[in-house]
Amino acid sequence: MPLQVSNYSWQQTSTAVFISVPLRGVSVRDADVFCTENYLKVNCPPFLFEVFLYAPIDDESSKAKIGNNTVVFTLHKKEAAMWETLSLSVDKEMMQKIREKSILQAQERAKEAMEAKAVARREDQKYTLNVMMKIEEEERKKIEDMKENERIKATKELEAWKECQRKAEELKIIQREEKLYHQEKQMEEKRKKLKHKCLSGNSASKNFATKGRNSGNIFFEKLKEDNIPAPRSVGSIKISFTPRVFPTALRESQVAEEEEWLHKQAEARRAMNTDIPELYDLKEEEKNPEWLKDKGNRLFATENYLAAINAYNLAIRLNNRIPLLYLNRAACHLKLKNLHKAIEDSSKALEILTPPVADNANARMKAHIRRGTAFCQLELYVEGLQDYEAALKIDPSNKIVQNDAEKIRNIIQGTELESK
């Protein structure tokens, strides 16, 4: 049974009550303090201090200070007045009711505090969510602005490219018109010369006839009877030659292979795959593989190899039968040291560049050189030499390729000597 503390002391003013409760021989830090507006209790085994206050206090602003084996309370009165006594004189039943009422009040207050804390937490979460949504909205707007800027930039580049194409076409038309004008002028000069010759011939015939009449030539009557036709009228004969796409003469060309190559090129230009999700946001002009190839070439020239690869990738997805796309992408992979991908793209380009004709000789030579370079950087010198020798078969007079092939042979011979 706990020991009731009776040697406490208290003082008061009109607004506050000060109570000092001694707790000797125990750890005051373990004291359990319970306070409501009408009830105060301190439980620190084996001691118990309990008081039923004379009048209500403001328990929220009241304080308790623990130290030096003593608990000192500062209780603020709700109404300013002097108390006759600290504790009410009540029976046990009344005491129990006050205790239960105080506990219920404490529970209600704890519940309200918990609800207030939950409301505050929800408000904090709502505020945090609003801040996050605002940040995401700003990020989304920034991304949209970047996309819009990129779209405007791409549109300007496309317009500039179209303007260059238009100017080039106009220049071709002007050159063609000048050529036709010079040809017409030459034809006119030739026509005048022929007309002058015909007029000179007619004058000679008339002089001959006059001379015959005056001399009494025996053939005069015969010439008169004969119906001599008039000179031919001046005209021009148009000669057309069979058009040749390839520079070689017809007797030296491989007609079947050349026709097959031209047919494959025409099929490659017609083969377009526009069912790609990335194309939905692009303009119709930006879905042109040739435009994407030119853009990739410009990016390669500025050493932006990753962006160039992205341009070639999209162009290949649009049309995977254009060998130059694989050839240019192989060059980018070589710059980035993606050697296996460079070999793969060069091999794909050589696969498309069939049959071997004069029109694709330069592209085939580049494909062999790039694949051979990748093999050599992987220290596969035998395979690299094979590609360089294949390039020399296409262009035997290329000094740079000859020197590189000779260096690879020296490396291979040196390796064999070391292994022996």
Side-chain angles (χ1 to χ4, degrees), residues 91-107:
D91 55 8
K92 291 184 178 180
E93 185 177 354
M94 192 63 179
M95 290 180 182
Q96 187 63 28
K97 287 182 180 180
I98 293 173
R99 290 192 191 100
E100 292 175 356
K101 183 180 178 181
S102 299
I103 292 172
L104 289 174
Q105 287 179 351
Q107 290 176 350

Side-chain angles (χ1 to χ4, degrees), residues 186-215:
Q186 291 175 0
M187 292 298 295
E188 186 67 26
E189 291 176 356
K190 289 181 180 179
R191 195 178 296 115
K192 286 180 180 180
K193 289 180 181 180
L194 289 171
K195 188 175 181 180
H196 184 266
K197 287 182 180 180
C198 291
L199 291 173
S200 300
N202 289 339
S203 300
S205 298
K206 287 179 181 179
N207 293 332
F208 179 75
T210 304
K211 185 178 179 182
R213 284 197 299 270
N214 294 334
S215 62

Side-chain angles (χ1 to χ4, degrees), residues 225-322:
E225 291 175 359
D226 293 338
N227 186 12
I228 300 174
R232 293 179 182 176
S233 60
V234 179
S236 61
I237 300 173
K238 293 183 179 181
I239 301 173
S240 61
F241 297 94
T242 304
R244 289 285 297 152
V245 177
F246 297 93
T248 57
L250 184 61
R251 62 183 178 276
E252 299 175 358
S253 65
Q254 301 169 325
V255 178
E257 288 81 356
E258 292 173 356
E259 291 297 330
E260 182 182 351
W261 170 250
L262 293 175
H263 180 68
K264 287 178 67 176
Q265 289 296 97
E267 283 186 349
R269 285 191 291 271
R270 290 193 297 268
M272 288 286 291
N273 179 22
T274 58
D275 190 16
I276 301 174
E278 288 85 343
L279 298 179
Y280 295 158
D281 295 335
L282 300 180
K283 288 186 176 180
E284 195 65 30
E285 295 85 353
E286 296 173 345
K287 300 177 184 179
N288 187 349
E290 291 295 329
W291 184 84
L292 290 169
K293 179 172 74 67
D294 292 341
K295 183 177 181 180
N297 294 345
R298 291 195 299 272
L299 292 169
F300 181 87
T302 60
E303 299 183 0
N304 193 352
Y305 304 121
L306 288 176
I309 288 174
N310 290 334
Y312 295 138
N313 287 342
L314 185 54
I316 288 171
R317 293 185 67 184
L318 284 167
N319 191 335
N320 60 359
R321 302 303 299 168
I322 301 177

Side-chain angles (χ1 to χ4, degrees), residues 16 25 28 34 38 57 70 78 88 133 151 169 192 204 226 271 280 296 307 323 327 332 353 361 392 408:
V28 181
F34 179 74
N38 295 109
I57 63 169
T70 305
K78 281 191 174 182
L88 292 174
M133 289 176 64
R151 187 189 66 78
E169 191 66 27
K192 286 180 180 180
D226 293 338
Y280 295 158
L327 200 57
C332 295
L353 290 166
L392 282 174
I408 298 171

Side-chain angles (χ1 to χ4, degrees), residues 53-108:
L53 299 173
Y54 181 80
I57 63 169
D58 186 1
D59 55 337
E60 292 184 356
S61 62
S62 299
K63 299 178 182 179
K65 184 177 180 182
I66 301 174
N68 297 325
N69 296 325
T70 305
V71 181
V72 178
F73 292 98
T74 302
L75 308 179
H76 297 279
K77 299 177 181 179
K78 281 191 174 182
E79 295 180 359
M82 299 299 290
W83 292 357
E84 296 179 1
T85 180
L86 177 63
S87 177
L88 292 174
S89 297
V90 292
D91 55 8
K92 291 184 178 180
E93 185 177 354
M94 192 63 179
M95 290 180 182
Q96 187 63 28
K97 287 182 180 180
I98 293 173
R99 290 192 191 100
E100 292 175 356
K101 183 180 178 181
S102 299
I103 292 172
L104 289 174
Q105 287 179 351
Q107 290 176 350
E108 288 292 332

